[in-house]
Each structure stands twice: as structure tokens, then as C-alpha cells.
């Protein structure tokens, strides 16, 4: 059994989600700062999975503890999957939703499908890696709605509500990151569980 793993992020939301979902395993989840890793590698992979592995590998090499990293983004069908791995860099801070609504302004309702995607890379105590992923399907709305969450949540519709109108628990239950973390939980439980 491993006692600790490092989450290759300092993002408080991601840490909280990982701690909530993985806590039944009895593994302590440390942030990269708590583990003493100070790295911010260039995320130049072509896929979410490659970028997750780049982040996990950088932290693992710094601390030599089992490490988990995630990479995620929004894929919009009408934009041929963009912004995809460029989701964070798509627009200046605070302007992502407005830019996306503008790009989508002439797209009809039945062509506004989109999905949040999350890949997670796990590097074990021997330096071997294992990957899982999760997905959340929805559509792009016509205006920003709600104040919860972050990033594209105000324009990502799941049924009648935007992701930013859901509580944190409601979002975790359906989100791409929640789905990927639950896959990781299953893998770790099978491998390390009593
Ligand atoms: P990263 O995985 O931290 O590199 O995030 C990639 C980008 O995708 C973020 O900056 C957000 O713009 C977007 N993104 C990822 N997950 C979510 C989410 O759950 N809600 C809204 N936007 C997200």
C-alpha cells in the first residue's frame, strides 16, 4: 500500500476534489507545494493524456513519490474539437466564455454539442505510469449563467442548467474530472487495497 501521493497542482479546487474522491483509500493527497516540488513544465503535448503525463513526470522526478496529474479542457463539435488542449490559452484571463459565445453566435441549437474531457496520469512508486480519463457531455449555451465553478462553466449547459449553476457536489457527480478520479480510485483500490 502507498501512504501518500502527490497531486501535481496547487489548484485548491482540484485538490479538494481529489481528496474527497480518493479519501476512502486512506492515502494522503499532498499538493505539489506541500511535497516540496516547484515545477511548472511546458505543456506542449498534442493530447490531454500527453500533457497530464508531462506534468506528473516533472513532479515525480522532483519528489520521487507516487504522483497524479490531470489535464483537461473543452472540446466543441462545431469548432472541430477546439479549444481542446488549448482551452486555458484560448483567451486572456476572464474572457474565455465571451470569446466562445462570440465564435458560436451563428451556430444553431442542434449543432452546439460539446464535451469537457479530463485525462489523469498516475506514476507509481517504481516510476511506471498509468492513465485514466473522463468525459462530460453537454452543449454551449447562448449566454453566461451562474457564478459557481470556473473557466467555461457559465456557458456549458447540462440539461436546463449551466455547470456554473450547479453546486460543487452536483458538479463532481457528473464532471469529467470526477469521472476520471473515480476511475483512478477503482484502479488504486484494486492495486493497493487490502
Ligand atoms: P488545466 O487542466 O488546468 O490545464 O485546465 C485547462 C482549461 O480547461 C482551464 O483553464 C479551463 O479553462 C478549462 N476547464 C477544465 N476543466 C474545466 C471545468 O471543470 N470547468 C470549466 N472549465 C474547465
Amino acid at each position: 500500500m502507498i501512504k501518500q501521493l502527490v497531486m501535481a497542482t496547487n489548484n485548491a479546487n482540484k485538490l479538494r476534489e481529489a481528496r474527497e474522491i480518493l479519501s476512502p483509500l486512506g492515502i494522503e493527497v499532498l499538493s505539489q507545494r506541500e511535497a516540496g516540488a516547484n515545477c511548472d513544465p511546458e505543456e506542449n503535448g498534442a493530447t490531454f493524456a500527453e500533457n497530464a503525463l508531462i506534468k506528473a513526470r516533472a513532479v515525480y522526478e522532483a519528489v520521487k513519490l507516487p504522483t497524479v496529474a490531470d489535464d483537461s479542457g473543452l472540446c466543441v463539435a462545431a469548432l472541430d474539437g477546439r479549444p481542446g488542449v488549448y482551452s486555458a490559452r484560448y483567451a486572456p484571463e476572464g474572457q474565455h466564455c465571451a470569446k466562445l459565445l462570440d465564435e458560436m453566435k451563428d451556430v444553431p441549437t442542434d449543432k452546439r454539442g460539446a464535451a469537457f474531457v479530463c485525462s489523469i496520469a498516475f506514476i507509481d512508486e517504481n516510476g511506471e505510469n498509468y492513465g485514466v480519463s473522463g468525459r462530460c457531455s453537454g452543449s454551449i449555451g447562448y449566454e453566461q449563467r451562474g457564478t459557481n465553478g470556473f473557466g467555461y462553466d457559465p456557458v456549458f449547459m447540462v440539461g436546463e442548467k449551466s455547470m456554473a449553476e450547479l453546486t460543487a457536489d452536483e458538479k463532481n457527480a457528473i464532471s469529467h474530472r470526477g469521472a476520471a478520479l473515480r476511475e483512478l480510485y477503482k484502479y488504486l483500490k484494486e492495486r493497493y487495497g487490502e
Side-chain angles (χ1 to χ4, degrees):
M1 189 56 175
I2 55 175
K3 295 245 175 310
Q4 290 182 318
L5 62 76
V6 183
M7 180 92 188
T9 186
N10 289 316
N11 178 315
N13 282 317
K14 289 188 181 182
L15 271 172
R16 188 181 43 77
E17 273 179 43
R19 283 179 176 144
E20 272 169 20
I21 293 175
L22 302 180
S23 67
L25 293 168
I27 298 175
E28 186 186 5
V29 179
L30 305 174
S31 70
Q32 70 178 52
R33 194 179 298 123
E34 286 166 339
N38 182 18
C39 36
D40 189 16
E42 199 186 340
E43 295 174 30
N44 54 8
T47 62
F48 296 116
E50 280 176 28
N51 280 338
L53 190 53
I54 289 169
K55 289 189 234 184
R57 185 62 65 191
V59 171
Y60 176 81
E61 293 304 335
V63 299
K64 297 285 186 205
L65 281 173
T67 298
V68 165
D70 84 323
D71 193 59
S72 54
L74 177 68
C75 300
V76 180
L79 304 179
D80 296 324
R82 282 194 301 113
V85 291
Y86 297 102
S87 292
R89 293 161 273 175
Y90 174 67
E93 195 61 39
Q95 293 172 40
H96 292 65
C97 290
K99 181 172 173 189
L100 182 61
L101 288 177
D102 189 52
E103 265 209 88
M104 295 287 288
K105 65 179 184 303
D106 297 323
V107 177
T109 304
D110 63 335
K111 299 220 160 40
R112 297 178 77 89
F116 276 126
V117 178
C118 175
S119 281
I120 291 183
F122 169 63
I123 302 189
D124 70 12
E125 63 278 25
N126 305 313
E128 308 284 337
N129 59 278
Y130 181 77
V132 291
S133 63
R135 194 182 165 81
C136 176
S137 298
S139 64
I140 304 303
Y142 290 92
E143 59 183 3
Q144 300 193 39
R145 284 169 50 171
T147 53
N148 300 331
F150 68 101
Y152 298 93
D153 283 344
V155 295
F156 187 84
M157 303 299 293
V158 275
E160 296 299 305
K161 284 189 178 178
S162 84
M163 199 78 126
E165 292 176 308
L166 302 182
T167 64
D169 283 349
E170 287 169 340
K171 179 176 168 180
N172 282 350
I174 59 160
S175 82
H176 49 313
R177 196 168 302 103
L181 280 169
R182 282 186 288 275
E183 280 301 303
L184 179 67
Y185 170 83
K186 273 195 254 167
Y187 172 76
L188 294 176
K189 185 159 191 262
E190 210 157 277
R191 179 161 167 190
Y192 298 106
E194 268 83 19

